Amino acid sequence: MVSMRPNLHTDFIIAPISDLLKDAVTASSGIGNGIETFPLCDYVMQSVLLKLTGFQEQKMKCICWEMASIDFEYRYEFTKMPLGECSSYSEKQKIYKDLVKQIEKFGLKFSEIDIHKNEILKTTISEINDIFQPTNLSIWAQRNFLNYNSIFKDIKKTHFASDKNSLFSDLVLKAIYEKRLYKQRNRIAHNTSSYQQNLPTLRTLIDEDYKYDNYFIYFSLLMLIDKIFIGLYSKYLELADKN
């Protein structure tokens, strides 16, 4: 059974997460980039990551509420087993699958859903570069910024939203989110680093995967996810209005 009503959260859902990054750059622009400002880098990066993950958590919940407001069957399942913070990869993947399933209920096959993945990938990379270069943040973490560009140039449109069951079909992207981004979000949110070593060990530093501990990669992944959900939700609204 389907019930239509005005979409109360649409403006927020389709608002790009990149706006928060622009705000962070603007807020830190007056500090300068002399060596005396470098200790601020980690504080600013942590704050930005928390803002971005919190923004996306609320967006995921709003998408679920909107789907539950239209489809009573989904509402029953949603209220029976509500999601948690909507920050983990598994929770985001479940919402991705639910949203695709809702689109398919309107008669559109997954293979027919066009969210312009080439454009999503292209704009994600270009926006990150446009926002951060040259700024305090890219100067403070210059090596990480260079590593980000080196890593993200290998990302392809087949690595994300390629089937109805996987938000990330590329195992590296999935691993970065689960083992790096999400863990760092939890460390900051719960201050677990307060009783741990502040600096990485030499063994960690020589690990090839250490390059993925990179805020610019985290920001890019969150932006990529954001664009995927905006594309899917826009398609969902279009079909809901027609029906």
Side-chain angles (χ1 to χ4, degrees):
M1 183 176 181
V2 174
S3 171
M4 291 298 295
R5 66 169 182 79
N7 305 99
L8 300 178
H9 305 107
T10 296
D11 287 345
F12 172 63
I13 293 171
I14 64 175
I17 203 170
S18 57
D19 286 349
L20 296 181
L21 292 175
K22 293 174 184 176
D23 289 344
V25 167
T26 301
S28 60
S29 62
I31 300 172
N33 53 38
I35 193 170
E36 74 279 1
T37 67
F38 275 56
L40 288 171
C41 180
D42 208 39
Y43 286 95
V44 174
M45 292 296 202
Q46 288 181 10
S47 176
V48 175
L49 182 63
L50 282 185
K51 284 200 170 196
L52 262 61
T53 53
F55 177 90
Q56 197 160 83
E57 288 164 17
Q58 297 307 316
K59 182 175 288 197
M60 297 295 104
K61 293 174 183 178
C62 286
I63 290 173
C64 291
W65 276 114
E66 289 300 331
M67 292 191 294
S69 298
I70 293 175
D71 189 318
F72 292 161
E73 291 179 3
Y74 177 79
R75 180 189 298 183
Y76 173 75
E77 295 298 327
F78 175 67
T79 55
K80 187 170 65 173
M81 294 186 64
L83 291 167
E85 293 179 324
C86 299
S87 188
S88 70
Y89 177 82
S90 60
E91 289 172 327
K92 282 184 169 65
Q93 174 144 293
K94 183 183 186 307
I95 298 169
Y96 167 81
K97 291 161 67 174
D98 288 347
L99 186 51
V100 170
K101 189 179 294 184
Q102 289 296 311
I103 293 173
E104 290 181 325
K105 279 190 174 184
F106 291 117
L108 196 67
K109 296 179 181 178
F110 179 80
S111 59
E112 299 171 329
I113 303 174
D114 184 12
I115 58 172
H116 308 291
K117 290 169 59 179
N118 276 328
E119 187 67 15
I120 284 177
L121 185 57
K122 179 181 177 182
T123 55
T124 296
I125 296 172
S126 64
E127 284 180 30
I128 288 291
N129 280 288
D130 290 344
I131 291 170
F132 288 109
Q133 188 177 17
T135 66
N136 295 30
L137 299 179
S138 63
I139 293 171
W140 288 339
Q142 188 175 32
R143 182 178 178 182
N144 281 345
F145 191 68
L146 293 173
N147 281 340
Y148 150 74
N149 278 293
S150 175
I151 291 167
F152 243 72
K153 69 180 176 58
D154 294 327
I155 305 301
K156 299 177 175 61
K157 70 173 185 177
T158 54
H159 292 169
F160 59 92
S162 293
D163 67 72
K164 66 173 74 176
N165 296 312
S166 300
L167 179 58
F168 289 150
S169 49
D170 180 68
L171 296 180
V172 174
L173 288 182
K174 183 174 179 289
I176 293 173
Y177 189 95
E178 291 186 309
K179 298 179 180 179
R180 309 282 174 171
L181 191 162
Y182 184 57
K183 282 189 176 182
Q184 181 65 359
R185 176 262 180 204
N186 289 340
R187 287 192 197 103
I188 300 169
H190 304 295
N191 199 24
T192 57
S193 60
S194 60
Y195 60 86
Q196 297 172 350
Q197 291 182 334
N198 290 327
L199 296 174
T201 64
L202 289 175
R203 185 183 298 276
T204 300
L205 287 171
I206 63 174
D207 185 351
E208 177 67 19
D209 289 341
Y210 183 63
K211 64 185 178 182
Y212 296 120
D213 290 329
N214 186 324
Y215 282 104
F216 297 109
I217 294 176
Y218 301 160
F219 300 158
S220 299
L221 282 184
L222 291 170
M223 188 184 291
L224 189 65
I225 293 171
D226 189 63
K227 290 178 183 294
I228 292 169
F229 276 98
I230 288 175
L232 288 174
Y233 184 74
S234 298
K235 179 61 66 176
Y236 168 73
L237 277 187
E238 177 188 330
L239 294 170
D241 289 341
K242 288 180 180 178
N243 287 271

